[in-house]
Amino acid sequence: DSGVTQTPKHLITATGQRVTLRCSPRSGDLSVYWYQQSLDQGLQFLIQYYNGEERAKGNILERFSAQQFPDLHSELNLSSLELGDSALYFCASSLGIQETQYFGPGTRLLVL
Amino acid sequence: SQQGEEDPQALSIQEGENATMNCSYKTSINNLQWYRQNSGRGLVHLILIRSNEREKHSGRLRVTLDTSKKSSSLLITASRAADTASYFCATDAHTDKLIFGTGTRLQVFP
């Protein structure tokens, strides 16, 4: 158990819908990262927050957005969902920047 | 785009044998990390090696780093069936984000 929690574990929804994935980092960690893992793209970095501020952006679509709240939990919002958005979405946290990242168990999203 | 590529893509061995996985990357780094992922589950951090380190050990794991060749290897000694998983290297390319390789799928047969 990494100490990072993610909800929900599974999500099945339809194209065009919007979903919110939630992540609680390890106690004391200030950085939160979001990754997408799909069969064809592998593990892709989406976005990073550090102490509430966006710090780095990766291959995140404009239909996706995220935020980190004052209590340091983070949410990833996926809108206008497409079939290709079906994937495992992981959240990771670290104490600071360029430190070991600890991953949550992931949210499996299936878009039908 | 993938920064790292693991080789081999898949590896099958018997319990007790050693497993070696290699990772090559493209740009200079601050550190390189190895992660394990059991099928469909979260990634588990195994070991971090900094760019000024050449070798690191953790239990049955041995990681080497050759920055001149931009490559790293992960050796698992005396493998067990429980080591069956996918193994990924991840590099930082002097940024905060991790860029993962394509992974090596290891199968250890009892």
Side-chain angles (χ1 to χ4, degrees), chain A residues 8-15 17 19 21 78 81-89 107-112:
Chain A
K9 282 189 177 176
H10 302 274
L11 202 47
I12 302 175
T13 188
T15 54
Q17 294 297 309
V19 296
L21 313 183
L78 315 177
L81 286 168
E82 301 175 359
L83 296 178
D85 297 328
S86 296
L88 263 169
Y89 290 84
T107 293
R108 187 177 294 275
L109 173 67
L110 181 59
V111 183
L112 300 174

Side-chain angles (χ1 to χ4, degrees), chain A residues 46-81:
Chain A
L46 295 178
I47 197 163
Q48 178 206 359
Y49 282 83
Y50 177 76
N51 205 18
E53 300 287 326
E54 182 186 302
R55 184 168 170 91
K57 237 176 180 176
N59 301 324
I60 187 165
L61 300 171
E62 283 193 16
R63 301 183 285 108
F64 296 0
S65 65
Q67 55 184 325
Q68 187 180 26
F69 294 87
D71 67 352
L72 301 177
H73 91 271
S74 178
E75 291 181 356
L76 178 67
N77 300 296
L78 315 177
S79 61
S80 303
L81 286 168

Side-chain angles (χ1 to χ4, degrees), chain A residues 24-46:
Chain A
S24 293
R26 292 187 324 158
S27 177
D29 283 358
L30 298 177
S31 269
V32 168
Y33 310 78
W34 286 97
Y35 294 85
Q36 179 194 57
Q37 186 178 34
S38 59
L39 281 173
D40 55 342
Q41 295 287 325
L43 256 164
Q44 299 282 328
F45 167 77
L46 295 178

Side-chain angles (χ1 to χ4, degrees), chain B:
Chain B
S1 64
Q2 302 284 13
Q3 156 81 315
E5 284 192 10
E6 283 90 339
D7 177 69
Q9 287 187 334
L11 179 62
S12 294
I13 57 175
Q14 294 289 137
E15 262 189 329
E17 293 181 341
N18 295 341
T20 299
M21 289 157 265
N22 302 297
C23 167
S24 60
Y25 56 92
K26 296 174 185 171
T27 63
S28 67
I29 59 173
N30 285 327
N31 59 58
L32 182 144
Q33 303 183 50
W34 284 91
Y35 285 83
R36 184 186 76 214
Q37 183 181 33
N38 288 70
S39 181
R41 297 190 149 189
L43 285 86
V44 174
H45 181 260
L46 296 176
I47 202 163
L48 180 153
I49 186 166
R50 301 200 184 278
S51 59
N52 61 354
E53 296 175 310
R54 291 295 165 258
E55 190 171 310
K56 208 161 181 181
H57 296 255
S58 175
R60 293 184 295 113
L61 305 181
R62 174 179 166 250
V63 168
T64 62
L65 179 64
D66 186 335
T67 52
S68 67
K69 294 182 180 176
K70 292 188 172 62
S71 68
S72 173
S73 68
L74 170 66
L75 168 67
I76 304 174
T77 59
S79 63
R80 305 166 182 167
D83 295 328
T84 294
S86 291
Y87 292 82
F88 295 88
C89 69
T91 53
D92 58 63
H94 295 294
T95 66
D96 297 347
K97 62 185 183 184
L98 287 179
I99 304 175
F100 284 83
T102 49
T104 292
R105 194 169 299 179
L106 173 66
Q107 175 107 43
V108 181
F109 291 99

